[in-house]
Amino acid sequence: MSDEKSLETRAVHAGEPRRQAHDALTTPVALTSTYTFADTDALERHHRREVERDEYGRYGNPTVRAAERKLADLDGAEDSALFASGMAAITTALLAMLRGGHHVVLTRDCYRRTRQFVTAVLPRYGVESTVVEPGDPGAVARAIVPGKTRVVLSESPTNPYLRVVDLAAMRALKAAHPGVKFLIDSTFATPVNQRPLEHGVDLVIHSATKYLGGHNDLLAGAISGSAALVDAIRDFRGVMGGVLDPHAAYLLLRGMKTLGLRVARQNASGLALARALESDPRVERVFYPGLESHPDFAVASAQMSGFGGVVSFLVRGDGARTRRFIDACRLATIAPSLGGVETLIEQPALMSYYDLSGEERLAVGIPDNLVRLAVGIESAADILDDLAQALDAAFSDP
Ligand SMILES: *Cc1c(COP(=O)(O)O)cnc(C)c1O
């Protein structure tokens, strides 16, 4: 679909043929593990790539392909590849791009399993890494080891502090280090709020489980970038095997059609709730890139068109009071994940970081009174009422 159309329009139509099998309006779910050949000549024409068709389910599926084309269009990418989960996308992409002796630069505030893979799994294969603070392009530059560093990987915005990477600064660094590929996990932003490829980034990663799917009913991951890079990683996906199921691909296609609507609402509610929480004396500090108080407010305002639906904050008090606050929420539901239509809330100390000691948690920057709110598409007023009554409960004498 042409670039002149708005994202909202492309989200509905891009990637899906206008005419479908059986004259269906929507893209059929192709539940097949393998594909047939009329004769051996047809098989040879396929091997010579004279026809575009599928061969076996681990290498491709038409429903998955439609979802890949839609996402590529939204990301402004030549191509996209989908995976069984965000982690399958991240691990497959990194393993495809790295070998023993290479080095990775990773920003510290990030999804815990990504950090685990880079700092604890990759070293087993001889890949070293340096972890730097996000929001500090100088630290990234100093961490690059010429000749060894092949990948710089960062989320933007990051999890859970919503730090924003200065993509213009990354572009300058990339020009100085042509052998290094810059990867941005753009899960929190979605193509609605930011398109890192337009800033010269090599590869965009999404956990499509979050906003792209949007309904908390599927797991999927994606990469978007140049045709050559995506093709190489898609090839390696055939080796690693972390492919997306066609049913999940259909749900993802359907979810992406409303991405523009949902994220617009989540941007508006996120900002309204962040402002309300910041003015509440029972809240010690709010982390949201759309607030002037956020360290990356200027960078975020320059390169993003919305600030997303995740708001992190510190409840004034200890872990026990924070727990009372979370337990008193009636609308916001305790669960990991984000980006769906339902508002979810969690205390990272009791969720992703539960198995660390209090000291270890502080060392990775996760205090016990930290809350991550993942705003859904309910009315912002109702979410705010819920948070206010939960704060009342947490601050009343037990
Ligand atoms: C959830 C998430 C992941 C992992 O994705 P899964 O789909 O759960 O495997 C990676 N990065 C970020 C930023 C995430 O939020």
Side-chain angles (χ1 to χ4, degrees):
M1 179 134 296
S2 102
D3 276 349
E4 298 143 45
K5 301 277 193 304
S6 73
L7 181 135
E8 287 79 2
T9 305
R10 289 182 288 126
V12 176
H13 295 287
E16 299 180 271
R18 250 182 112 60
R19 302 291 306 163
Q20 299 275 5
H22 319 297
D23 300 317
L25 174 64
T26 55
T27 294
V29 184
L31 286 178
T32 185
S33 58
T34 193
Y35 303 86
T36 61
F37 293 87
D39 51 32
T40 52
D41 271 352
L43 177 60
E44 285 197 319
R45 280 198 300 280
H46 162 65
H47 286 322
R48 289 196 299 266
R49 288 185 170 230
E50 287 169 17
V51 284
E52 202 187 321
R53 55 155 294 156
D54 288 305
E55 175 189 326
Y56 181 64
R58 190 160 19 77
Y59 307 132
N61 171 282
T63 315
V64 174
R65 197 72 194 108
E68 289 176 340
R69 289 200 175 105
K70 189 183 291 293
L71 178 59
D73 188 293
L74 301 184
D75 263 334
E78 283 177 9
D79 204 357
S80 297
L82 285 165
F83 297 81
S85 69
M87 284 315 299
I90 291 168
T91 56
T92 306
L94 289 180
L95 287 173
M97 297 168 79
L98 297 165
R99 58 176 164 72
H102 286 169
H103 174 258
V104 176
V105 178
L106 177 73
T107 48
R108 187 176 61 89
D109 187 35
C110 71
Y111 192 69
R112 189 185 164 198
R113 298 300 182 185
T114 303
R115 183 165 53 220
Q116 182 183 358
F117 182 71
V118 171
T119 63
V121 179
L122 285 180
R124 295 195 219 151
Y125 305 97
V127 177
E128 307 276 290
S129 58
T130 304
V131 179
V132 301
E133 292 305 311
D136 182 359
V140 175
R142 285 190 298 280
I144 291 178
V145 186
K148 286 189 80 181
T149 304
R150 292 304 167 102
V151 166
V152 172
L153 169 61
S154 181
E155 292 171 13
S156 189
T158 63
N159 177 27
Y161 289 110
L162 293 311
R163 298 302 307 264
V164 177
V165 170
D166 184 341
L167 296 176
M170 289 303 115
R171 173 174 254 164
L173 261 183
K174 196 172 126 64
H177 301 279
V180 181
K181 295 263 186 281
F182 286 76
L183 279 55
I184 293 288
D185 181 333
S186 194
T187 298
F188 277 42
T190 84
V192 177
N193 287 337
Q194 133 184 313
R195 285 165 303 282
L197 296 170
E198 290 172 2
H199 298 266
V201 160
D202 294 288
L203 202 65
V204 169
I205 299 168
H206 302 279
S207 167
T209 308
K210 315 294 168 53
Y211 292 98
L212 298 180
H215 295 73
N216 291 318
D217 57 4
L218 65 88
L219 285 162
I223 55 151
S224 299
S226 70
L229 192 52
V230 171
D231 222 39
I233 296 169
R234 180 185 281 120
D235 235 45
F236 200 62
R237 181 184 68 182
V239 177
M240 299 300 288
V243 291
L244 186 62
D245 175 81
H247 262 135
Y250 181 80
L251 290 175
L252 178 58
L253 265 177
R254 176 174 161 142
M256 282 194 285
K257 291 187 192 202
T258 55
L259 182 71
L261 292 171
R262 287 185 284 105
V263 173
R265 164 64 74 102
Q266 285 160 314
N267 285 340
S269 298
L271 186 57
L273 291 165
R275 285 192 175 134
L277 288 166
E278 192 170 48
S279 67
D280 193 312
R282 297 168 297 185
V283 173
E284 186 184 319
R285 185 165 172 199
V286 181
F287 306 91
Y288 188 74
L291 293 177
E292 275 97 354
S293 59
H294 192 279
D296 302 322
F297 173 70
V299 175
S301 304
Q303 72 190 31
M304 299 179 74
S305 49
F307 305 107
V310 177
V311 182
S312 296
F313 56 97
L314 299 172
V315 172
R316 198 175 290 284
D318 59 7
R321 174 170 279 166
T322 305
R323 204 166 160 157
R324 286 216 299 282
F325 161 69
I326 300 243
D327 282 336
C329 289
R330 295 283 166 265
L331 193 158
T333 308
I334 303 173
S337 204
L338 57 114
V341 294
E342 295 94 354
T343 292
L344 303 179
I345 196 160
E346 61 147 322
Q347 200 172 347
L350 296 184
M351 187 68 76
S352 310
Y353 295 88
Y354 184 68
D355 53 353
L356 302 192
S357 72
E359 272 167 31
E360 286 170 325
R361 279 200 290 270
L362 278 183
V364 291
I366 304 292
D368 289 351
N369 61 336
L370 177 66
V371 174
R372 192 185 74 183
L373 175 72
V375 179
I377 63 165
E378 307 94 333
S379 114
D382 289 340
I383 302 169
L384 186 56
D385 280 352
D386 186 44
L387 298 179
Q389 67 79 27
L391 282 167
D392 289 345
F395 280 79
S396 64
D397 290 329

